[in-house]
Every structure is written in structure tokens, then in C-alpha cells.
Amino acid sequence: MDAGKTARLDRIGTDGRYVVVPMDHGITLGAVTGLKDIESTIDAITRGGADSVLTQKGIAPRVHPHKNGAGYIVHLNGSTVVGPDTNDKRTTGSVKDAIRAGADAVSFHINVGSDHEPGQIEELAELTTVADDYGLPVLAMTYARGPGVDEHDPEALGHAVRLGEELGADVVKTAYSGDAESYEHVCESTRLPVVIAGGEPDTDRETLADVRGAMDGGAAGVSMGRTIFQHDDPEAMTRAVSLVVHEDADPDEALRESGLAVEA
């Protein structure tokens, strides 16, 4: 790996571990809670310890003045919940667009097992080739999604993350299987760092227990959006997640040290 790519990976993580907060949901869901005043949200989560934030390219001017030195990832495809198929992610930008937007890395979403998988494989393969020319890391969001696919099955998740490595990504993101033991298979399926997605927000303790389980199974961190940016206290929630990822805290310890109530 060249020096430029290594340096940029260091900007979006810390010592090989990652707390990434994606906020590209404005395309998918609209200006939901946490995204209307995205400037305040970015300021809060980066003060709370997020290593990097992720948005679509058009939001870049609203990101940089408020990210407190954190890394920045530009996401390069998307879809909406009001369209005909949310799994049909379409390209929204290029590597050059991301560089012009001040990105330290790019990301791309692929639904392994969906009807749109073939085209998304081609697009991700092309993206990693172009990004490598610029020493720009690629975070591949490789989800197991499609007809008859169990989105939390460790075999399907292992296949998804391996696909990301095979196509030239540098970090892979996928769902959590539900327990540390089964997640070991997922993380052993690739030599790349694996980060878990957040999904629908659970209770704080349940979220942190999932993060703890994933880390115990070999994960390198999280790429967690709504669970953090829609939290009543996004700074405290980011701090709690960061304590688990970077300090190996257990869920109750993370809740206490971040100032969140320890749930019964």
C-alpha cells in the first residue's frame, strides 16, 4: 500500500480502528432528524470522538467547517425510499468529485444477492481501480440483501465482505450477525478491516452490546448512522461507541463514562 493511501486511512480511523458516522441519508430518507442542521450534528459527533464522517458530495461545504479535524468520506451512490427499489443504488459522483470535495476516502454501497448485484459489482470494481490511481481508500458497504437472502446470516455476510476484498476495497462494512462467535466467520473471511452497520436504532445498551460483540468477533469498528446522529445526545452516544471501539470498554462502562444513563 502506498504512503498516500496509508496516510488517508489514518485520517478516517485511529490505529486501525474506525468510528465512522455516515450521514448520506438525506438522499435516501430526506432531511430527517439530525440532518436538517447537519452542521451542529457534525460538530457534536466529532467532539464525541468520531474518527470520520460520511456524506454525499453536495454536503461537503457544510461538513468541513464543523468536523473538528476528523476525516471525511464521500459516498458515491444512492437511492430513495420513495423510488421503485431502494436496492437499486445509482452512481452519484466520481473519484474526482470526491477529491474536489476534500475527501480522505470514498465509499460505495453494493447489495450482494440483489437483482442489481451484477451492475454494482462492475461499478465497484471500476471505482477501486480509479481510486487506487489517486491513493484514495475505498470503503465498500457490502450488504447481503436480495430475494431469499438473510441479511444477518454469517455465511452471507462472509461472502459479502470477501467480495469487497476481491474487488479491491480497503475497508468493508456489513451488518452484524447477532453474536461474537458467528461474527468471527465474517471477519475471518477477509483480511480487510470489517466495520459493522448500525441499522434501526435500538436502546443504547443494545447498540453498545452489538458493538462489543462485533469487536470481540474481530471487527475493526463501526460505520453507524441513525443510531448516532438521531440520538437525543449524539455527542454522548458517539463517545460511548468510541469507548467500546477504541478503549475496549464494556457496554455499561461506556454508558457511564459517556454520561448516558445505565439502563436496567
Side-chain angles (χ1 to χ4, degrees), residues 17-66:
R17 292 190 175 187
Y18 301 86
V19 176
V20 180
V21 182
M23 288 176 284
D24 58 311
H25 302 65
I27 278 186
T28 310
L29 302 173
V32 295
T33 301
L35 297 184
K36 287 183 179 179
D37 182 7
I38 197 171
E39 293 87 348
S40 294
T41 304
I42 290 169
D43 179 62
I45 64 177
T46 53
R47 281 189 283 109
D51 294 302
S52 49
V53 298
L54 180 156
T55 75
Q56 293 279 348
K57 63 184 182 183
I59 303 298
R62 302 176 67 178
V63 173
H64 291 294
H66 306 283

Side-chain angles (χ1 to χ4, degrees), residues 3-242:
K5 183 176 283 190
T6 299
R8 293 181 183 96
L9 280 170
D10 287 344
R11 293 176 200 160
I12 66 168
T14 302
D15 297 328
R17 292 190 175 187
Y18 301 86
V19 176
V20 180
V21 182
M23 288 176 284
D24 58 311
H25 302 65
I27 278 186
T28 310
L29 302 173
V32 295
T33 301
L35 297 184
K36 287 183 179 179
D37 182 7
I38 197 171
E39 293 87 348
S40 294
T41 304
I42 290 169
D43 179 62
I45 64 177
T46 53
R47 281 189 283 109
D51 294 302
S52 49
V53 298
L54 180 156
T55 75
Q56 293 279 348
K57 63 184 182 183
I59 303 298
R62 302 176 67 178
V63 173
H64 291 294
H66 306 283
K67 64 186 179 67
N68 296 309
Y72 181 45
I73 304 170
V74 169
H75 195 55
L76 294 180
N77 65 346
S79 62
T80 76
V81 294
V82 297
D85 186 351
T86 57
N87 284 337
D88 187 8
K89 304 290 184 181
R90 298 298 178 101
T91 299
T92 56
S94 67
V95 168
K96 286 187 177 181
D97 290 335
I99 292 170
R100 282 192 290 265
D104 301 303
V106 292
S107 61
F108 193 86
H109 182 130
I110 181 170
N111 292 307
V112 181
S114 78
D115 294 339
H116 310 288
E117 176 198 284
Q120 290 170 352
I121 286 176
E122 291 178 350
E123 291 167 350
L124 178 57
E126 176 63 20
L127 171 62
T128 60
T129 298
V130 175
D132 197 55
D133 287 340
Y134 293 90
L136 199 66
V138 176
L139 165 62
M141 301 183 180
T142 56
Y143 289 88
R145 286 183 182 166
V149 178
D150 180 351
E151 297 186 16
H152 301 282
D153 174 66
E155 292 295 330
L157 297 175
H159 188 174
V161 298
R162 183 53 178 257
L163 184 147
E165 180 180 8
E166 297 277 350
L167 295 180
D170 301 286
V171 182
V172 284
K173 168 184 176 176
T174 199
Y176 180 49
S177 59
D179 62 83
E181 184 177 2
S182 66
Y183 215 63
E184 288 182 6
H185 169 73
V186 181
C187 296
E188 289 170 354
S189 297
T190 177
R191 292 191 177 181
L192 297 182
V194 177
V195 296
I196 67 163
E200 295 288 345
D202 293 315
T203 67
D204 294 347
R205 196 186 188 289
E206 288 171 335
T207 296
L208 295 172
D210 283 351
V211 178
R212 179 70 271 157
M215 299 301 293
D216 291 342
V222 305
S223 176
M224 189 170 282
R226 287 171 290 170
T227 303
I228 289 177
F229 73 71
Q230 290 193 317
H231 195 276
D232 290 341
D233 189 340
E235 180 176 351
M237 189 60 188
T238 308
R239 184 170 295 112
V241 171
S242 184

Side-chain angles (χ1 to χ4, degrees), residues 203 205-206 252 255 261-264:
T203 67
R205 196 186 188 289
E206 288 171 335
D252 290 336
L255 287 168
V262 178
E263 298 152 344

